[in-house]
Amino acid sequence: MGRFSKAFIASSIAFAVASALAAPAAATSTSFDGAWSVHIASSSSQCGDGQIVSIGINNGQVTSSMVSASGSVAEAGSISVILASGMKKATGYGHLSGSSGSGIWRGPLCSGTWTASRN
């Protein structure tokens, strides 16, 4: 597996892991629906850095055509997500506000931060 593939998978998984740690929301929000670009940064060069993952939010639910994704966005903007690719998995959590957002992620071997912008 190439370095780019490992980095992309690690970053995707990390974002998912970080999102899943967020406090569950009582209700989902449609105000954040649409396409988002998420920049994933790792605290370790071995896990890759600077990857971009496209996600979609529809009726407050997180999806992605790039990786397996599940999660939700609360009315106040709290987001929690689990991303997986093959055997690798990551959880992410954070907050969206208007057309941007940020948070942290964790995977079994890696962790880091993420920032998002609405497309």
Side-chain angles (χ1 to χ4, degrees):
M1 185 178 293
R3 183 174 179 198
F4 177 78
S5 295
K6 287 180 183 177
F8 174 78
I9 291 170
S11 296
S12 299
I13 291 171
F15 175 70
V17 170
S19 298
L21 297 176
T28 58
S29 172
T30 59
S31 60
F32 299 103
D33 284 3
W36 292 76
S37 293
V38 181
H39 178 266
I40 300 171
S42 173
S43 56
S44 169
S45 61
Q46 292 179 337
C47 296
D49 195 18
Q51 301 302 310
I52 304 289
V53 175
S54 296
I55 65 165
I57 300 174
N58 184 12
N59 199 27
Q61 299 301 304
V62 177
T63 62
S64 176
S65 62
M66 298 176 77
V67 295
S68 174
S70 64
S72 62
V73 181
E75 287 185 41
S78 295
I79 182 171
S80 61
V81 178
I82 297 174
L83 298 179
S85 180
M87 297 287 293
K88 298 183 181 190
K89 184 187 253 186
T91 302
Y93 70 94
H95 190 265
L96 300 177
S97 178
S99 61
S100 64
S102 63
I104 63 170
W105 63 265
R106 296 202 185 281
L109 302 175
C110 302
S111 64
T113 61
W114 60 267
T115 56
S117 59
R118 191 186 304 254
N119 294 344

